Amino acid sequence: MSDHLRRLVEQDAARRARAEEHLAELTAAFCDRILADHAEDEHDRLVRLMCTPPSPRAIRARHTSGGQHR
């Protein structure tokens, strides 16, 4: 292989390595942002849930194994 062709192959390999590293950084940043947004949404949901007073349960008829009595 000629020196010129070898240099081109090496440059291409280096460019690909930089591109893959950059893509990995972007992917990691995206995943971090998504996880942070999800954690924030979950935190907000729990805050709303804890701030909501409990509602009284509706009284319902109890069912017996003997069926309904009149």
Side-chain angles (χ1 to χ4, degrees), residues 10-26:
E10 290 171 355
Q11 287 174 354
D12 186 54
R15 184 185 56 78
R16 287 176 186 260
R18 284 192 308 271
E20 287 179 8
E21 183 180 333
H22 182 65
L23 182 60
E25 291 172 0
L26 291 175

Side-chain angles (χ1 to χ4, degrees), residues 4-5 8-9 11 13 16-18 20-21 26 30 33-34 43-44 47 50-52 54-55 61-63 68:
H4 178 68
L5 189 55
L8 289 176
V9 169
Q11 287 174 354
R16 287 176 186 260
R18 284 192 308 271
E20 287 179 8
E21 183 180 333
L26 291 175
F30 176 76
R33 190 173 73 237
I34 293 297
H43 176 74
D44 292 346
V47 166
M50 296 303 290
C51 290
T52 305
S55 58
R62 297 176 189 236
H63 298 286
Q68 292 182 346

Side-chain angles (χ1 to χ4, degrees), residues 25-69:
E25 291 172 0
L26 291 175
T27 302
F30 176 76
C31 290
D32 288 345
R33 190 173 73 237
I34 293 297
L35 290 173
D37 288 348
H38 177 71
E40 186 177 334
D41 291 343
E42 183 67 9
H43 176 74
D44 292 346
R45 185 185 74 81
L46 290 174
V47 166
R48 280 194 314 274
L49 182 64
M50 296 303 290
C51 290
T52 305
S55 58
R57 293 180 153 232
I59 299 173
R60 293 193 242 174
R62 297 176 189 236
H63 298 286
T64 62
S65 60
Q68 292 182 346
H69 297 286

